[in-house]
Amino acid sequence: MLSRRHFIRPVMAGLVALSVLMAGCQSKTAESVDPKGAEANPVEQSIPELKIAVPGDVGPLNLYLSSGNESLLELVYDKLFAPSPFVKEPQPWLAESATQVDDLNWVVKLRSGIKWHDGQPFTAEDVKFTFEYYRDGPSNRYTHHVSEVPRVEKIEAEDASTVRFTCAYACPSLASITMADLPILPKHIWEKVENPRKFTELPVGTGPYKLTEYKPDQYYKLEANPDYFKGRPLVDSLVMPIIKDPTAMFNALRAGEVDAASRGVPPELLESFKKLPNMKVAGTKELSLTEVRINFEKEPFNEPKFREALSLAVDRKAIMDTVLLGEGRPGLQGYPHPDSPWTSPTLSTPFDADKAKAVLDQLNYVDRNGDGVRETPAGQALDFSIKVSSTEPGWIRSAELLKQQFANVGIKTTVEVLDSATIGTLGQSRKFDMYVGSIGPHGVADPDQFVMSHRSGYLWSKGLAYPEMDELTKKWMAEANIDKRKEISFEMQALFNRQPTSLVLYYPTENYAYRADKFDRWVESPGFGIIHKYSLLPEEARKAAGVTN
């Protein structure tokens, strides 16, 4: 399922990759762009060190505790495909190729000669172990991609470099989604880990960097892997001070104490940073959104038409213009994110207060006592709360604007500002009417997660009646052709946005500032900004992953 951490902004901004590869019963193969990787190309000049500020301490990069911070994790770990499930055409990475044998079976050939940071060889046994560990062990952010959506029934290491995957139902996007999302673990270390949530040793991966030092609430230090299979990284050492306060972080960047910040520059500071000498600002497609989550298990929010009326009452453009100062887009295309290659281009969640009032009238939710607030037929006032985190001033302002907009259609709301820890518990406790939150790429750009979100309690709960969505989900699981499955997912998205349980307010644009005199090779990866491992790899490695300017 989608972990609670994925309802919170990621510490850094992740990575990218993958999308449409195979379809139908016919055998199809995705071949490596350059089997030799970057080794055959001239060595690019490296620099000794970069200092990159990060906004939080996520522990010693245990992916069971640090999920949601993929860009940091993937400095250390690699996946079979790269860069992520959020691009149209992901490329083989640890894998040399992936072949769909039939509707249920895939065969993956692995690259040879790859080693873990401790010198042990990377083999098919590591891949088999990783997928089984995610599927059968304690749940984490990656679990559903093996255990449920999709369900990988059997993983077999046919030899040291060949793995066969057998799915429980059709899995045409296994390479472009699952294999592009799951970091591969070293079997020789993790097979000894009984409780992964208590594992505190520094991680061992195959990635371009090795975490060599971690001081809680102070910094991370990573050293380049000189034997990385895609070429030695361009920066020898990464020092990542943990600076939780945004003002302190940007003051440090302005003063030259750090070379880049993994937090986006606030809109009100943007112009001043653009004018600083040796400073550059890169705007990125963040594949995240700010939303109002609705308690669909509670009356009257369990009524689809009422949720439709709530959506129609929201003037998303007015909120975006006020809160983001134009650095983003209003959420007029709803959920999931419109920049994902897996999202229908025809989604629409318009603002229409008159229609919202008409829908409420149809439900017989009318103002019976003349106080400006509608009541249900049973006489219960439409009087609700919107909870919001005290650490997010933009969200608080959004909630205040929502209060006015809902009042315009006869719905009373009270804004409750709570500490972020309390907000983080609401998804499970269900003690809310509505609350403001955000969600990142895994939630809003991954089509498998969209299905899982309707089973996990986030967008809906498994077992709770939703016959139209249940029927579409059955069709989706039965469809073996990737393009036809995509069309079914578009139907699911349209259904959701007619009666949403998440009201998308806006899609923010993130602007990352960095000192160009120190390092000017940053490149965007959709959903993960500029600070990720592909920015730090040689040009040929970037091309192999499809991450280029």
Side-chain angles (χ1 to χ4, degrees):
M1 69 169 53
L2 188 63
S3 71
R4 180 166 57 84
R5 282 184 174 81
H6 288 79
F7 300 143
I8 304 171
R9 286 181 179 172
V11 161
M12 295 183 62
L15 292 166
V16 267
L18 291 108
S19 187
V20 185
L21 287 178
M22 325 289 178
C25 303
Q26 187 174 356
S27 174
K28 299 183 180 181
T29 302
E31 295 292 347
S32 171
V33 171
D34 177 8
K36 296 181 181 179
E39 298 84 4
N41 296 280
V43 176
E44 296 177 59
Q45 185 175 1
S46 65
I47 65 173
E49 181 181 274
L50 274 182
K51 293 181 179 178
I52 304 171
V54 297
D57 184 345
V58 295
L61 303 193
N62 175 344
L63 54 81
Y64 273 79
L65 302 175
S66 304
S67 60
N69 307 294
E70 277 83 355
S71 62
L72 191 53
L73 288 169
E74 292 188 24
L75 292 171
V76 174
Y77 292 104
D78 283 312
K79 300 172 295 190
L80 295 177
F81 276 68
S84 75
F86 316 133
V87 299
K88 288 184 178 180
E89 194 171 349
Q91 299 298 323
W93 201 248
L94 288 176
E96 191 171 273
S97 67
T99 301
Q100 186 178 10
V101 179
D102 54 37
D103 292 355
L104 302 181
N105 288 276
W106 286 79
V107 173
V108 173
K109 290 289 185 180
L110 303 176
R111 297 183 188 275
S112 60
I114 297 175
K115 292 185 178 181
W116 296 98
H117 292 154
D118 60 6
Q120 293 292 315
F122 161 73
T123 72
E125 288 295 334
D126 295 305
V127 176
K128 170 180 165 62
F129 169 81
T130 297
F131 276 68
E132 291 178 342
Y133 198 78
Y134 290 152
R135 184 191 65 192
D136 304 330
S139 64
N140 67 12
R141 123 95 172 88
Y142 307 98
T143 299
H144 81 83
H145 276 310
V146 191
S147 65
E148 190 166 354
V149 185
R151 169 77 185 182
V152 183
E153 202 67 47
K154 186 186 297 183
I155 306 104
E156 302 168 277
E158 296 187 335
D159 57 43
S161 61
T162 308
V163 188
R164 176 180 288 267
F165 299 86
T166 303
C167 299
Y169 57 88
C171 52
S173 61
L174 192 70
S176 54
I177 302 296
T178 296
M179 294 181 195
D181 192 51
L182 272 58
I184 304 301
L185 301 171
K187 177 183 178 181
H188 65 281
I189 292 176
W190 281 82
E191 66 182 347
K192 304 168 187 174
V193 178
E194 294 183 3
N195 186 343
R197 300 188 187 283
K198 293 185 177 180
F199 185 63
T200 58
E201 295 181 20
L202 297 185
V204 172
T206 59
Y209 286 90
K210 180 177 181 179
L211 180 62
T212 57
E213 192 174 356
Y214 159 65
K215 293 290 185 183
D217 288 324
Q218 294 184 46
Y219 62 85
Y220 295 89
K221 186 172 182 179
L222 299 99
E223 299 295 334
N225 176 2
D227 301 318
Y228 189 55
F229 74 100
K230 281 295 186 181
R232 184 186 177 94
L234 302 179
V235 181
D236 295 337
S237 178
L238 302 177
V239 178
M240 297 183 162
I242 298 165
I243 307 177
K244 297 180 181 181
D245 180 71
T247 300
M249 179 182 289
F250 291 113
N251 284 341
L253 180 58
R254 187 181 283 110
E257 296 169 4
V258 297
D259 304 318
S262 60
R263 183 194 293 270
V265 179
E268 62 271 17
L269 298 180
L270 193 55
E271 289 305 314
S272 66
F273 265 86
K274 288 180 178 179
K275 296 175 182 177
L276 291 174
N278 297 318
M279 191 75 68
K280 286 187 178 180
V281 177
T284 66
K285 295 178 179 179
E286 200 58 15
L287 289 182
S288 67
L289 54 83
T290 298
E291 61 182 346
V292 177
R293 295 169 195 147
I294 298 172
N295 190 347
F296 51 82
E297 297 179 6
K298 183 177 182 180
E299 293 184 353
F301 302 101
N302 60 346
E303 167 56 57
K305 297 297 289 184
F306 181 65
R307 299 197 303 271
E308 178 189 359
L310 287 175
S311 181
L312 289 165
V314 178
D315 187 345
R316 294 160 171 87
K317 186 176 186 306
I319 293 174
M320 190 275 299
D321 287 343
T322 301
V323 175
L324 297 186
L325 304 179
E327 291 299 321
R329 289 173 289 166
L332 294 171
Q333 290 172 270
Y335 193 108
H337 200 288
D339 289 341
S340 168
W342 301 97
T343 298
S344 169
T346 63
L347 298 180
S348 176
T349 52
F351 166 55
D352 191 333
D354 290 337
K355 187 174 180 180
K357 293 175 184 178
V359 172
L360 293 169
D361 289 342
Q362 292 169 13
L363 292 170
N364 199 20
Y365 293 170
V366 297
D367 180 9
R368 292 174 167 79
N369 58 11
D371 65 353
V373 179
R374 295 172 182 262
E375 292 88 30
T376 68
Q380 184 69 39
L382 300 186
D383 186 349
F384 311 112
S385 69
I386 304 175
K387 302 181 189 297
V388 62
S389 172
S390 60
T391 62
E392 297 289 347
W395 296 1
I396 296 172
R397 182 64 179 130
S398 296
E400 294 290 350
L401 293 170
L402 283 167
K403 176 181 177 179
Q404 299 171 19
Q405 293 174 5
F406 287 143
N408 290 339
V409 299
I411 300 172
K412 180 180 179 181
T413 53
T414 301
V415 176
E416 293 185 34
V417 179
L418 304 172
D419 64 271
S420 58
T422 301
I423 293 292
T425 67
L426 296 178
Q428 292 187 349
S429 72
R430 315 303 296 176
K431 295 179 180 178
F432 68 97
D433 297 324
M434 296 178 279
Y435 71 98
V436 182
S438 71
I439 187 165
H442 180 233
V444 300
D446 179 330
D448 290 359
Q449 180 56 54
F450 181 78
V451 175
M452 189 64 203
S453 291
H454 282 82
R455 305 163 74 83
S456 67
Y458 166 44
L459 297 179
W460 200 256
S461 293
K462 186 164 52 177
L464 196 63
Y466 199 164
E468 304 99 323
M469 189 66 77
D470 291 344
E471 186 61 30
L472 286 172
T473 301
K474 289 178 183 177
K475 288 175 59 179
W476 184 90
M477 289 182 170
E479 181 54 62
N481 180 282
I482 195 168
D483 293 321
K484 292 180 180 179
R485 175 178 273 195
K486 192 173 184 179
E487 291 299 321
I488 297 169
S489 71
F490 286 179
E491 293 182 53
M492 299 167 76
Q493 294 165 17
L495 172 63
F496 175 84
N497 283 284
R498 289 196 296 270
Q499 48 194 43
T501 57
S502 163
L503 305 178
V504 178
L505 301 181
Y506 47 79
Y507 316 109
T509 296
E510 289 288 2
N511 294 282
Y512 293 94
Y514 62 91
R515 298 189 63 85
D517 56 330
K518 294 297 182 68
F519 188 76
D520 198 16
R521 299 292 305 280
W522 302 108
V523 59
E524 181 188 3
S525 179
F528 302 105
I530 61 171
I531 299 175
H532 48 75
K533 71 184 178 190
Y534 302 100
S535 284
L536 304 169
L537 292 179
E539 184 65 26
E540 285 302 312
R542 299 183 191 201
K543 290 179 180 178
V547 183
T548 57
N549 282 324

